[in-house]
Amino acid sequence: MVENKETFNMEDEELEESEEMEQSFEDLFESSLKELHSGNVVKGTIVQVNPDSVIVDVGGKSEGVIPVNEFTDEQGQIEVKVGDVFDVLIESTENENGLISLSKEKADRQKVWNALEEGAVVEGRIVSRIKGGLSVDIGVNAFLPGSQVDLRPVRNLDKMLGETYSFKIIKLNKRRGNIVLSRRVLLEEKRETLRSDTLETLEEGQAVEGVVKNLTDYGAFIDLGGIDGLLHITDMSWGRVSHPSDILAVGDKIKVKVLKFDREKERVSLGLKQIAPDPWLEVEQKYPLESLVKGKVVSLTDYGAFVELEQGVEGLIHVSEMSWTKRIKHPNKILNIGDEVESMVLALDIPNRRISLGLKQAEPNPWEVIGEKFPIGTIIEGQVKNITDFGIFVGVDEGIDGLVHISDLSWTKRIKHPSELYKKGDTVKAVVLNIDRENERFSLGVKQLNPDPWQSIPERFAPGTIIRGKVTSVTDFGIFLEVEEGIEGLIHVSEISKEKVDSPKDFTKVGDELEAVVLHVDTVERKIALSVKHLAHQKEKAEVDAFLGAQKSATSNLGDLLQGAMGKGAADKGDKGEE
């Protein structure tokens, strides 16, 4: 009886265990059936990889299918294998083939959505440009407004495509599936942290690194880390800077020196050139007076050319120091920006940072040898280069013109303007009169080619000489009479007649021929005084002189005859005596 009782107990226990196991399997099956509903996320194991799909075991003797493109990379290569386990989302229950439609991508997306919170910081890749901003992939698509991209407006959003950044979720609506991101908020937070650190450590005279943030006509703003400093254009280089963009670009990392720092107003003045030594400290030693230096033309003005000798050191070649011989109206006639030139140091003004250079001094001065080549008295021949009111310029040598003053054109002619005798291009002979090397003047004379007729005037027109000439001018004070070509004498109104003459015009007119007697000759003033009223007296004197001269000649002739006759008689007597 005892044995039968024990046997009965054992069977009861086995029966209970069997019932419990059946109940457990039933619970698991029912649980799996509950999980395999549309929209649920379940674990899945890959059991087969086909060319166009992947078969996944999701438990409960159920399998699902996922399009293979959810497991391919950018090159189209399949990245999974049999046995890999993933979370998958059930899109629909079994189809006609007994397979469940699954999606790994949607499961990942739902997982991301469940983890997202407003204010959270996420990492994402900018994938496309859309209206009002950019689309960002953070596991799900999110919107980044254009105003939230950077601290400053970004003009070209396309350049950010494909870039990965950190973003802050500033708005999240899971029901509508909307996510709004901001990169600017994170940058501002970072900037504020950097700003606090920078303000604590920044000191005047300190060398710091910064990034060029913005360029203006007058300088550049440099981000020193949460605080901006102004780098003025005058502090960018020891040399010439036309515009900050000549040496800087937005985004450049540069080292600058803190020149001024107002901690209260948070204003910082920076210097770039102060990082390097001031080149003007060695200018006096490197560029001594009268030394020849080479440089590049960097600027042209009306008054000269600026030449860069080295970075930060420029000299000025004044327009008057460009040529020994040519009259340079503007430096661009002989120089261009970028030209390499050799010049001489003429003067140094270190306090005012000025160097005076001479271009012509690098060449021999033709005025120093012109006197040896053309001694005074040399006859030269050249072309008329220019005609002015006061004379003509004649080409003498390369770049050297000589001036024939209007007073040196003729000994006798009254010339109102040189153009009466010459025009540009005419070939002219002239005599070298004077060379002024210091003032670079070369004087020529045309009339000096011939003797001065006034030197012989006193002999040819001695006082008392009666001349005949043509009236060239009649004025209130007298009559001008041309005694020979180019030489005139004046018959003063008081010398016209013994009787009173109210006006010389009543006595004669231009073109008439008159006789007059020479009263006086002034070779210094080149004047001949004539008289008509003394003409009759002079003629009488001339006739008397002529008569007396004739009488003397006749007496002389008679004496000669008598002397000759007496001489002959004496000779005859001598001959007879000999006989």
Side-chain angles (χ1 to χ4, degrees):
M1 291 292 293
V2 174
E3 184 178 345
N4 290 337
K5 188 177 180 180
E6 289 177 355
T7 302
F8 177 76
N9 290 336
M10 289 178 64
E11 289 177 353
D12 288 342
E13 289 177 0
E14 288 176 359
L15 180 61
E16 289 178 0
E17 288 178 2
S18 175
E19 289 177 350
E20 289 176 358
M21 288 180 66
E22 288 179 2
Q23 182 64 40
S24 176
F25 280 123
E26 186 177 347
D27 292 341
L28 289 172
F29 180 72
E30 289 180 358
S31 176
S32 66
L33 288 177
K34 289 179 181 178
E35 289 179 352
L36 299 179
H37 287 305
S38 296
N40 286 354
V41 176
V42 297
K43 290 284 185 183
T45 303
I46 295 176
V47 295
Q48 185 178 339
V49 179
N50 299 321
D52 59 348
S53 63
V54 174
I55 306 302
V56 180
D57 180 6
V58 293
K61 298 182 181 181
S62 298
E63 293 180 346
V65 62
I66 300 176
V68 74
N69 59 15
E70 291 195 19
F71 298 97
T72 56
D73 57 19
E74 294 178 356
Q75 286 74 36
Q77 300 295 319
I78 299 174
E79 296 180 312
V80 294
K81 62 184 183 299
V82 174
D84 288 348
V85 178
F86 296 97
D87 286 334
V88 293
L89 182 136
I90 300 172
E91 292 187 300
S92 62
T93 54
E94 295 180 358
N95 56 20
E96 64 272 10
N97 297 320
L99 295 174
I100 300 172
S101 180
L102 305 173
S103 173
K104 176 185 176 297
E105 288 182 351
K106 291 181 179 179
D108 291 342
R109 202 173 293 127
Q110 190 176 88
K111 189 176 180 180
V112 171
W113 269 105
N114 293 334
L116 293 179
E117 291 181 0
E118 194 170 301
V121 177
V122 295
E123 190 174 88
R125 185 171 68 91
I126 298 175
V127 293
S128 64
R129 182 172 179 176
I130 58 177
K131 184 178 180 181
L134 298 167
S135 177
V136 182
D137 180 7
I138 59 171
V140 293
N141 284 334
F143 175 58
L144 175 63
S147 61
Q148 299 298 316
V149 173
D150 208 329
L151 292 171
R152 291 177 177 271
V154 179
R155 294 181 181 179
N156 184 12
L157 293 174
D158 291 335
K159 69 179 182 180
M160 304 188 74
L161 297 179
E163 298 293 332
T164 300
Y165 300 101
S166 292
F167 305 93
K168 190 170 188 177
I169 299 174
I170 58 175
K171 190 176 290 186
L172 177 65
N173 189 326
K174 291 184 178 181
R175 184 173 60 84
R176 293 185 178 181
N178 293 337
I179 305 173
V180 180
L181 305 175
S182 174
R183 178 169 173 260
R184 178 178 177 176
V185 170
L186 295 180
L187 294 175
E188 287 175 344
E189 291 174 356
K190 182 180 179 182
R191 181 178 176 84
E192 185 58 32
T193 302
L194 289 172
R195 177 178 163 280
S196 299
D197 294 341
T198 302
L199 287 174
E200 288 181 8
T201 59
L202 202 64
E203 297 290 343
E204 289 186 3
Q206 184 180 20
V208 295
E209 289 188 350
V211 179
V212 178
K213 187 174 181 181
N214 189 27
L215 296 177
T216 68
D217 292 338
Y218 56 85
F221 287 95
I222 312 300
D223 185 356
L224 303 177
I227 185 171
D228 292 345
L230 174 61
L231 173 58
H232 197 270
I233 189 171
T234 57
D235 288 311
M236 289 184 177
S237 171
W238 293 111
R240 180 185 299 269
V241 179
S242 299
H243 192 274
S245 60
D246 294 342
I247 59 174
L248 296 175
V250 174
D252 285 352
K253 291 183 178 180
I254 60 173
K255 193 172 185 179
V256 290
K257 191 172 185 178
V258 179
L259 304 181
K260 282 186 178 181
F261 177 36
D262 187 334
R263 199 175 297 275
E264 292 182 3
K265 296 181 180 179
E266 297 185 6
R267 289 182 181 176
V268 185
S269 296
L270 304 173
L272 179 61
K273 70 181 183 182
Q274 288 81 359
I275 293 295
D278 184 355
W280 279 89
L281 297 176
E282 298 180 356
V283 162
E284 197 167 5
Q285 291 74 33
K286 294 175 72 174
Y287 308 107
L289 293 176
E290 297 185 0
S291 63
L292 291 176
V293 295
K294 291 184 178 179
K296 183 173 70 173
V297 178
V298 293
S299 179
L300 296 175
T301 67
D302 292 339
Y303 54 85
F306 285 93
V307 178
E308 185 181 60
L309 304 181
E310 63 176 89
Q311 187 173 7
V313 179
E314 293 179 7
L316 170 65
I317 303 176
H318 193 268
V319 69
S320 63
E321 303 294 347
M322 291 187 174
S323 175
W324 289 113
T325 56
K326 296 179 181 177
R327 290 185 177 91
I328 310 298
K329 293 183 178 179
H330 194 280
N332 61 14
K333 298 297 181 183
I334 60 171
L335 293 175
N336 295 302
I337 292 177
D339 286 352
E340 295 284 341
V341 296
E342 185 176 47
S343 56
M344 180 179 284
V345 178
L346 303 181
L348 294 174
D349 184 355
I350 304 300
N352 293 311
R353 296 177 179 262
R354 292 176 181 173
I355 300 178
S356 296
L357 302 174
L359 187 63
K360 67 184 182 183
Q361 286 80 1
E363 302 287 341
N365 184 358
W367 284 95
E368 293 180 358
V369 296
I370 198 72
E372 299 173 6
K373 193 173 182 180
F374 300 101
I376 292 175
T378 303
I379 296 176
I380 62 97
E381 187 174 295
Q383 282 190 334
V384 176
K385 296 294 185 67
N386 193 23
I387 299 176
T388 67
D389 293 339
F390 54 85
I392 61 173
F393 286 93
V394 179
V396 177
D397 201 9
E398 182 66 30
I400 295 181
D401 295 342
L403 171 64
V404 182
H405 194 269
I406 191 171
S407 62
D408 288 314
L409 291 175
S410 174
W411 290 112
T412 57
K413 292 182 180 177
R414 291 181 179 176
I415 302 169
K416 293 181 179 179
H417 196 278
S419 60
E420 296 173 11
L421 302 177
Y422 302 102
K423 62 181 183 297
K424 278 188 180 181
D426 285 353
T427 300
V428 176
K429 278 187 177 182
V431 178
V432 178
L433 302 181
N434 185 47
I435 299 175
D436 184 349
R437 294 178 183 175
E438 185 176 345
N439 296 308
E440 298 182 358
R441 292 177 180 174
F442 200 105
S443 298
L444 299 172
V446 172
K447 71 182 184 182
Q448 288 81 0
L449 291 169
N450 301 305
D452 183 357
W454 279 90
Q455 292 179 352
S456 62
I457 288 293
E459 296 177 6
R460 294 187 293 114
F461 299 98
T465 304
I466 297 174
I467 56 94
R468 187 174 186 84
K470 184 181 291 186
V471 177
T472 57
S473 179
V474 181
T475 68
D476 292 338
F477 58 85
I479 302 167
F480 285 94
L481 197 67
E482 186 179 52
V483 298
E484 65 178 38
E485 186 179 1
I487 296 179
E488 295 178 339
L490 173 63
I491 305 170
H492 194 267
V493 65
S494 62
E495 296 295 332
I496 293 176
S497 175
K498 292 180 180 180
E499 298 178 1
K500 184 179 180 182
V501 178
D502 293 331
S503 174
K505 294 179 181 179
D506 297 335
F507 182 79
T508 187
K509 62 181 184 298
V510 174
D512 289 350
E513 288 192 355
L514 296 177
E515 277 188 327
V517 63
V518 177
L519 297 179
H520 176 69
V521 176
D522 184 346
T523 55
V524 177
E525 297 292 332
R526 295 179 180 263
K527 293 179 180 180
I528 301 176
L530 303 175
S531 176
V532 173
K533 74 178 183 180
H534 289 88
L535 180 62
H537 174 71
Q538 190 61 30
K539 280 186 175 181
E540 290 176 4
K541 185 175 180 296
E543 289 175 359
V544 171
D545 289 344
F547 175 76
L548 291 176
Q551 287 290 100
K552 184 178 180 182
S553 176
T555 304
S556 178
N557 290 338
L558 179 60
D560 291 340
L561 290 173
L562 290 173
Q563 188 175 358
M566 290 174 66
K568 184 178 181 183
D572 291 342
K573 287 180 180 180
D575 291 337
K576 288 180 179 181
E578 290 179 358
E579 290 179 356

